[in-house]
Amino acid sequence: MRKKPIILLAAGGTGGHVFPALALAEELASHDYDVRLVTDRRGMAFKSQFGDIAVHTLPAATIYGGGLLKRPIGFVRIIYGFLAALILVLRLRPKLVVGFGGYPSFAPGLAARLLAIPVLVHEQNAVFGRANRMLAKLGAYIATSFSDTIGLSSRSRRRTRRTGNPLRPKVLAETQGGYRFLSHSRAFDLLIFGGSQGARVLNEVVPTAISYLSAEHKRRLRIVHQARVADMTDLLGRYNEAGVYAEIRDFFDDMPRRIRRAHLVICRAGASTVSELAAIGAPSILVPLPGSLDADQLNNTRDLVAKGGAWVMPQASFGAARLAARLEALLNDRDTLNMAAKAARSAGVLDATIKLGRYADCLASRRPVQIEIVNERPGSSA
């Protein structure tokens, strides 16, 4: 029996890194590759999503942040992580290592470059991440999610293709449904969630803003709000006091379906979130996480906002009165929401997983990179 060629996927421990990696893993596995995943302890929180994929864990750390006293510990963990990654890559001998950002992806990528194994890094954000940037300097190939990714050197651009951000099958399934156009006789579905980066400001501001709305608008509202278990009782009480219907959970396993059913979404601006909103075609109010490295969440909103599919409210000015005014205007303006849904959809990239799979297949099989071939998929002959 012929041994399948191995491709090693390396991802940091957040959903924004892990979910695109899992989407690519499924694509490559269906085309005769033995796909392995390497992540850190945080990434194991998504273990239920891994299916039959073999998973390896590495220690990882960053020297950025944490103060001077913690930096020596970070250096030690990085060195230990690199040695463990080097042993893993030597043992597996993959045809390609694909990094999805975060420091757990840097060590396997560095080990691969030292062993003359090609490396492909996928940048989810509109700003080139630091781990990916370092691997690019070592000759890694690059795939981007957004147009005009900030931080790419002119030298790196020659090895760069825009593939888009791979989407989970559950998300792709919901792109077939289309936007539930709003009518004045229909309830208004409002979805609020904060993603893995946290949503305390959303929990504080949104219920207060809802309380400022007119009685007519409160009667029409149906709210779905994802929040931490510790915040759920307080949120429910505040929504009850405002006189609106609210469904509150700490996790929705059908979030893509919830996004499609929503007439408006209020959320953070992580790369995966923005990509999913665009693909599904959901109008949104985006509140970028302040203080993130290189303002990546703010930059993630550029394409969607430029097309008219979303509105940005920086956290510094994300107050209840201002949000209430925006909601009052949108609740009365179905045409604007309907047009925003179409605009959001026009920014979506639905074939990102296939394009990234082609990119990886070309590199693993040492063929010229071609990701736009019509009616050809990874693993086919060229």
Side-chain angles (χ1 to χ4, degrees), residues 97-319:
V97 171
V98 185
F100 285 85
Y103 277 83
S105 74
F106 176 70
L110 177 59
R113 292 306 299 143
L114 291 176
L115 296 171
I117 296 170
V119 173
L120 169 63
V121 296
H122 179 268
E123 181 54 62
Q124 294 87 52
N125 290 296
V127 180
F128 207 32
R130 301 188 185 198
N132 283 346
R133 196 179 307 172
M134 287 188 284
L135 289 173
K137 290 179 179 179
L138 297 175
Y141 293 85
I142 303 157
T144 62
S145 296
F146 295 93
S147 59
D148 299 321
T149 300
I150 297 171
L152 280 173
S153 67
S154 57
R155 186 176 181 181
S156 294
R157 289 183 186 278
R158 293 196 292 269
R159 301 189 307 275
T160 301
R161 303 287 192 281
R162 186 192 178 197
T163 61
N165 199 3
L167 300 171
R168 294 172 287 164
K170 283 185 177 181
V171 175
L172 290 173
E174 295 301 333
T175 65
Q176 306 302 314
Y179 183 62
R180 296 172 62 242
F181 292 122
L182 182 66
S183 68
H184 291 307
S185 62
R186 180 182 292 174
F188 189 101
D189 289 293
L190 178 63
L191 172 64
I192 303 104
F193 63 93
S196 60
Q197 299 275 17
R200 178 174 297 177
V201 68
L202 302 185
N203 297 345
E204 294 173 352
V205 172
V206 175
T208 303
I210 297 299
S211 71
Y212 293 162
L213 299 180
S214 67
E216 176 188 357
H217 285 152
K218 289 179 183 178
R219 283 194 297 270
R220 291 181 59 206
L221 273 177
R222 292 192 309 189
I223 293 174
V224 173
H225 193 138
Q226 182 172 291
R228 297 184 313 155
V229 172
D231 299 326
M232 290 172 62
T233 300
D234 178 65
L235 275 173
L236 185 60
R238 294 175 67 189
Y239 283 129
N240 285 338
E241 187 176 344
V244 296
Y245 169 85
E247 179 183 358
I248 303 172
R249 297 187 195 175
D250 64 324
F251 180 75
F252 290 97
D253 58 7
D254 60 346
M255 183 60 82
R257 185 176 68 87
R258 301 280 180 162
I259 291 174
R260 186 182 67 80
R261 290 183 58 84
H263 293 109
L264 180 67
V265 179
I266 303 175
C267 60
R268 290 296 197 189
S272 291
T273 296
V274 171
S275 298
E276 291 175 6
L277 292 171
I280 295 172
S284 57
I285 294 174
L286 301 173
V287 187
L289 183 72
S292 57
L293 286 176
D294 304 313
D296 52 359
Q297 287 208 2
L298 178 61
N299 282 288
N300 289 345
T301 69
R302 288 178 308 167
D303 290 355
L304 197 53
V305 171
K307 288 182 177 291
W311 299 269
V312 173
M313 297 185 71
Q315 184 165 314
S317 57
F318 185 64

Side-chain angles (χ1 to χ4, degrees), residues 26-164:
E26 185 172 334
E27 175 73 8
L28 292 173
S30 69
H31 294 280
D32 213 28
Y33 281 104
D34 179 358
V35 184
R36 310 292 183 94
L37 176 68
V38 58
T39 185
D40 63 1
R41 179 179 53 82
R42 294 178 307 153
M44 294 306 293
F46 302 94
K47 186 176 181 179
S48 63
Q49 308 284 329
F50 295 160
D52 296 330
I53 301 173
V55 182
H56 309 271
T57 57
L58 294 176
T62 172
I63 60 172
Y64 298 101
L68 292 175
L69 293 178
K70 291 187 178 180
R71 287 190 179 181
I73 299 175
F75 275 116
V76 170
R77 289 179 63 83
I78 287 173
I79 292 171
Y80 178 57
F82 168 70
L83 292 175
L86 183 62
I87 293 171
L88 178 66
V89 174
L90 279 169
R91 178 166 62 85
L92 296 179
R93 288 289 177 177
K95 297 294 184 181
L96 174 72
V97 171
V98 185
F100 285 85
Y103 277 83
S105 74
F106 176 70
L110 177 59
R113 292 306 299 143
L114 291 176
L115 296 171
I117 296 170
V119 173
L120 169 63
V121 296
H122 179 268
E123 181 54 62
Q124 294 87 52
N125 290 296
V127 180
F128 207 32
R130 301 188 185 198
N132 283 346
R133 196 179 307 172
M134 287 188 284
L135 289 173
K137 290 179 179 179
L138 297 175
Y141 293 85
I142 303 157
T144 62
S145 296
F146 295 93
S147 59
D148 299 321
T149 300
I150 297 171
L152 280 173
S153 67
S154 57
R155 186 176 181 181
S156 294
R157 289 183 186 278
R158 293 196 292 269
R159 301 189 307 275
T160 301
R161 303 287 192 281
R162 186 192 178 197
T163 61

